[in-house]
Amino acid sequence: MSHIPVMLDHVVEHIAPQPGEIVLDGTFGGGGYTRAILAASECHVIGVDRDPDALQRATAIAADYQSRFTMLAGCFGDLDELSAEAGFQGLDAVVLDLGVSSFQLDEDERGFSFMRDGPLDMRMAQSGPSAADLVNQADERVLADIMFQLGEERQSRRIAHRIVEARKTEPFETTLQLAELIEKALGGRKGKRAHPATRAFQAFRMFVNDELGELARALEAAERALKPGGRLVIVTFHSLEDRMVKSFLAERSGKTEGQSRFMPEAANTGPAPSFEHVRKISAPDTAEIEANVRARSSRLRSAIRTSAPAWDKPVELPTRLPTLDEVVA
Ligand SMILES: C[S@@+](CC[C@H](N)C(=O)[O-])C[C@H]1O[C@@H](n2cnc3c(N)ncnc32)[C@H](O)[C@@H]1O
């Protein structure tokens, strides 16, 4: 199956590409956004993806657009360094469409889906420790914390305990092995709308790929790389990610909680705002949701870079979890 780009029209509208501009699509995936942006204006698009399979999908666009498209392999958390190394000084727009693509979900071998049997992998970049390494090696408490904090799984302790008991006799190797154990731990599927493993799988995927850490680095990198007037557009599917983008833009535009635009200027003692014109679009219209279930939980947030310097303040993570390297050998 191919990937249906979410909120495509809104994304292009908020990116508002102009001829000669440089737009970075940090989550190339199947190239849905990239293609639409290239078609909307005579701009140049830099595609970035950490998944080697996405790089292969870029060859068709490269053939169609040649001098207006550059594909780069890497993480969007490094978007400023990646684009500078490729010779682009400053960006006019950055777009991120977070999470996994349908290409990744639908391929058994990638091990992202609890509906398909495959190796318990979940690595977007196809390198480094896998979900199997995590599930087979991490402490019970860490596994529970991951499921609770990243998946809001209320039965996280029970599932973690069952995982640790089961792996003593047989290590986890496949997606269905884990999905079935979670299903049993939670008392089966009857009467449940979503598969019982949905939350745990999402949490393990986010942890294996350090998705929140990458988002934090990308927000800081985009703030450094965008030119004055540059647009930042981010589509999220998870409440923690959406909250990170929301509070980053609120802070950087001088409207942190408790502060309002009616507050006297003198009360705002932080650095000059690095973003302005913050906008939000909630879940897309019903027709799009009907055509694409993935769109249901999506949010788009955008803002425009001011001419103020980037803030010297790291983006805080909403969770307190160790890193993958700290929990696997
Ligand atoms: C939801 S898909 C993007 C789909 C794309 N907008 C389209 O229309 O085809 C997300 C893509 O971002 C990539 N990705 C996720 N996190 C990344 C990161 N930190 N750095 C680079 N690529 C990442 C994934 O590998 C995946 O291909």
Side-chain angles (χ1 to χ4, degrees):
M1 216 174 94
S2 65
H3 179 93
I4 308 174
V6 173
M7 292 210 230
L8 184 58
D9 292 346
H10 290 304
V11 165
V12 175
E13 182 200 321
H14 286 241
I15 290 281
Q18 303 299 313
E21 286 193 335
I22 312 293
V23 177
L24 184 138
D25 176 356
T27 51
F28 178 83
Y33 286 2
T34 288
R35 209 173 254 288
I37 294 163
L38 285 165
S41 169
E42 288 283 315
C43 61
H44 190 105
V45 176
I46 306 169
V48 173
D49 207 295
R50 51 160 52 161
D51 186 341
D53 290 357
L55 305 184
Q56 286 188 3
R57 283 192 288 274
T59 51
I61 298 190
D64 290 349
Y65 286 95
Q66 297 180 359
S67 60
R68 291 211 284 126
F69 175 62
T70 306
M71 186 70 202
L72 303 174
C75 286
F76 57 55
D78 300 319
L79 69 89
D80 55 339
E81 285 165 17
L82 284 171
S83 53
E85 278 164 18
F88 298 94
Q89 297 307 325
L91 302 171
D92 296 290
V94 169
V95 60
L96 300 178
D97 176 18
L98 301 178
V100 274
S101 70
S102 306
F103 297 107
Q104 291 165 328
L105 267 181
D106 292 346
E107 209 175 305
D108 307 359
E109 281 302 301
R110 303 299 304 271
F112 284 105
S113 173
F114 47 78
M115 311 280 279
R116 300 163 170 276
D117 203 12
L120 187 56
D121 189 319
M122 302 195 192
R123 297 168 303 168
M124 290 184 189
Q126 302 186 25
S127 62
S130 67
D133 295 327
L134 170 68
V135 167
N136 288 324
Q137 294 180 34
D139 286 351
E140 184 173 326
R141 178 140 177 232
V142 171
L143 290 173
D145 288 347
I146 292 170
M147 286 184 277
F148 186 72
Q149 294 189 37
L150 296 177
E152 291 175 21
E153 173 53 71
R154 276 175 296 159
Q155 309 266 24
S156 57
R157 311 239 162 258
R158 177 198 289 254
I159 300 172
H161 185 68
R162 292 287 189 96
I163 288 175
V164 170
E165 285 301 303
R167 76 187 185 191
K168 283 180 190 159
T169 47
E170 196 183 358
F172 287 89
E173 283 176 7
T174 70
T175 46
L176 287 194
Q177 203 183 341
L178 179 62
E180 281 160 16
L181 176 125
I182 296 172
E183 194 179 322
K184 275 196 206 125
L186 299 186
R189 283 175 83 164
K190 265 209 194 119
K192 295 185 177 124
R193 275 173 58 209
H195 189 289
T198 309
R199 291 165 186 274
F201 266 61
Q202 171 184 278
F204 291 143
R205 187 205 84 211
M206 290 179 73
F207 188 78
V208 164
N209 295 290
D210 187 22
E211 292 182 36
L212 297 184
E214 270 295 306
L215 176 58
R217 296 199 311 124
L219 292 169
E220 293 165 14
E223 185 186 29
R224 287 190 294 268
L226 281 168
K227 297 177 190 165
R231 286 81 64 199
L232 176 63
V233 180
I234 306 190
V235 178
T236 64
F237 299 87
H238 187 286
S239 57
L240 286 179
E241 289 170 346
D242 183 54
R243 236 180 292 151
M244 278 175 72
V245 179
K246 180 182 171 184
S247 33
F248 171 80
L249 292 178
E251 179 187 65
R252 272 15 186 206
S253 62
K255 297 194 181 64
T256 25
E257 246 121 79
Q259 248 179 0
S260 85
R261 61 202 151 103
F262 304 112
M263 222 168 181
E265 288 284 308
N268 191 349
T269 52
S274 54
F275 283 95
E276 60 186 355
H277 300 299
V278 177
R279 291 164 71 192
K280 168 196 166 191
I281 298 185
S282 290
D285 54 39
T286 356
E288 182 170 352
I289 292 175
E290 271 166 26
N292 186 6
V293 278
R294 193 171 160 267
R296 197 180 303 146
S297 51
S298 58
R299 298 260 182 295
L300 180 154
R301 291 189 189 268
S302 74
I304 298 182
R305 185 75 172 85
T306 66
S307 56
W311 289 25
D312 185 17
K313 184 176 182 212
V315 173
E316 269 182 41
L317 290 178
T319 51
R320 295 269 171 272
L321 290 169
T323 64
L324 182 60
D325 288 337
E326 285 165 355
V327 299
V328 302

